[in-house]
Amino acid sequence: TATPPTDLITDLLTDSIQDNKGNTFKPETVISNNIVGLFFSAHWCPPCKRFTPLLLNLYDLVNKNEKKWEIIFFSLDRNIDEYNQYFATLPFKGPPFNIKKAKKMARRFFISGIPALVMMNANMDVLNLNARTHVEIDTKAELFPWKAGFFGEMKSTHDAAFAIAHPSVIYATSTSKEEIAKAETLLKEVYDSFKNRKDVLMNFFYYVKDPNTLSTDPCEEIYQKAIDKIGVCILFDAKNSSKYVFEKIDKTEMRDRIQQFLSDGLKMETLS
């Protein structure tokens, strides 16, 4: 899945940005030196009403000592009155109410439902196309700014959330130190091939299969659903309920298959 080119983003931020008191700002001054969240939401949306307080709490927490996170609000409200009522409760900035432009911006980021939160850095490089999950789980902002594209062991609720939020390579190993080291070394080599590409939002995890792990553990649930065998390495695409099992587990084969996936040319298996 490709990330939106920066020029498309700046083209859509040509309007002035305003706060709920009517003060206007140039987009470049809002973005400058800050992590930026693009927040797509609406007053009429029940999930948005549950999500907004979580986002507000994290916004206050991150900016407690100094301002380093700016959120730009894109309203998908049905009319100006709903927008005004909702925007009055938000400390964020945003373009004037324009449903067509908001929907256009949402399409640029492959957003199909709200609420949605896209995280970007001050250069407008996309860090995460689906930060909503992380806001709901990382309630202390320990992993802020939730950059997608992680490498390491899949062992926490956060890791499971990231594996579900973005395509992920997952290598299941036994508890053998030798097998863990082998998986970690291989995945690191493959991860290094893609980590600096701005068009790639993908995680690279190894999962240590421990027979004592509870079946309700979120990482174990992913293992049971998509892998279910030690020594297997898959490309897991939770969003499309599909996977690809690597026939040969080496860096060349994995790089080639991942590139096929990124080009929409890899035949995936539907998860049962």
Side-chain angles (χ1 to χ4, degrees):
T1 302
T3 58
T6 301
D7 60 342
L8 293 177
I9 298 163
T10 52
D11 283 349
L12 290 169
L13 284 177
T14 52
D15 288 328
S16 61
I17 302 297
Q18 63 187 21
D19 61 21
N20 60 16
K21 295 179 176 62
N23 301 310
T24 59
F25 309 84
K26 291 182 179 180
E28 57 268 27
T29 62
V30 174
I31 293 166
S32 179
N33 300 319
N34 286 310
I35 295 295
V36 179
L38 306 184
F39 179 42
F40 298 83
S41 188
H43 185 266
W44 53 263
C45 164
C48 299
K49 291 181 179 179
R50 292 191 293 270
F51 179 80
T52 300
L54 300 176
L55 183 61
L56 290 172
N57 286 337
L58 284 176
Y59 179 78
D60 290 340
L61 182 62
V62 169
N63 293 322
K64 183 176 181 180
N65 296 320
E66 62 174 318
K67 187 64 175 287
K68 55 185 177 180
W69 185 19
E70 195 73 72
I71 295 180
I72 300 176
F73 171 56
F74 291 90
S75 169
L76 293 165
D77 287 297
R78 291 170 292 200
N79 55 61
I80 188 68
D81 291 335
E82 286 186 354
Y83 160 76
N84 286 336
Q85 186 177 352
Y86 188 20
F87 193 38
T89 68
L90 303 176
F92 313 143
K93 299 177 180 69
F97 178 69
N98 187 317
I99 188 66
K100 289 184 179 179
K101 283 193 174 183
K103 287 182 176 179
K104 185 177 181 182
M105 181 67 102
R107 287 195 297 270
R108 298 297 192 196
F109 291 94
F110 320 108
I111 291 167
S112 57
I114 55 173
L117 181 68
V118 176
M119 296 295 290
M120 313 184 78
N121 63 21
N123 295 321
M124 299 301 278
D125 299 318
V126 175
L127 301 178
N128 195 327
L129 284 172
N130 183 16
R132 171 184 173 180
T133 301
H134 315 313
V135 168
E136 293 172 334
I137 293 174
D138 187 21
T139 55
K140 295 183 179 179
E142 295 172 331
L143 299 175
F144 177 86
W146 311 298
K147 184 180 184 299
F150 289 92
F151 159 76
E153 183 178 358
M154 185 175 73
K155 60 182 180 179
S156 70
T157 301
H158 296 107
D159 298 332
F162 296 154
I164 291 169
H166 297 283
S168 300
V169 173
I170 307 175
Y171 191 168
T173 79
S174 69
T175 55
S176 160
K177 292 182 179 179
E178 292 79 11
E179 291 300 313
I180 294 171
K182 176 184 173 183
E184 186 174 13
T185 299
L186 174 61
L187 285 177
K188 182 65 165 59
E189 290 179 340
V190 180
Y191 167 74
D192 285 343
S193 301
F194 294 95
K195 67 179 182 181
N196 292 322
R197 283 181 49 177
K198 294 179 181 179
D199 63 329
V200 177
L201 286 168
M202 182 175 286
N203 305 304
F204 294 80
F205 289 119
Y206 61 92
Y207 177 65
V208 180
K209 172 56 181 169
D210 186 332
N212 296 318
T213 302
L214 296 175
S215 61
T216 53
D217 178 88
C219 296
E220 177 67 15
E221 288 179 350
I222 291 174
Y223 171 83
Q224 295 289 349
K225 180 179 181 179
I227 309 172
D228 204 29
K229 188 176 181 182
I230 292 172
V232 170
C233 185
I234 69 166
L235 200 166
F236 177 56
D237 185 5
K239 183 178 179 181
N240 294 302
S241 299
S242 62
K243 69 176 182 179
Y244 174 82
V245 179
F246 291 100
E247 296 178 5
K248 188 177 180 182
I249 305 177
D250 66 44
K251 61 183 179 182
T252 301
E253 168 74 9
M254 293 172 71
R255 286 171 182 163
D256 289 347
R257 298 292 82 78
I258 291 169
Q259 188 55 56
Q260 272 188 282
F261 172 77
L262 295 170
S263 303
D264 295 325
L266 186 64
K267 186 176 182 180
M268 304 288 284
E269 173 187 342
T270 302
L271 293 172
S272 57

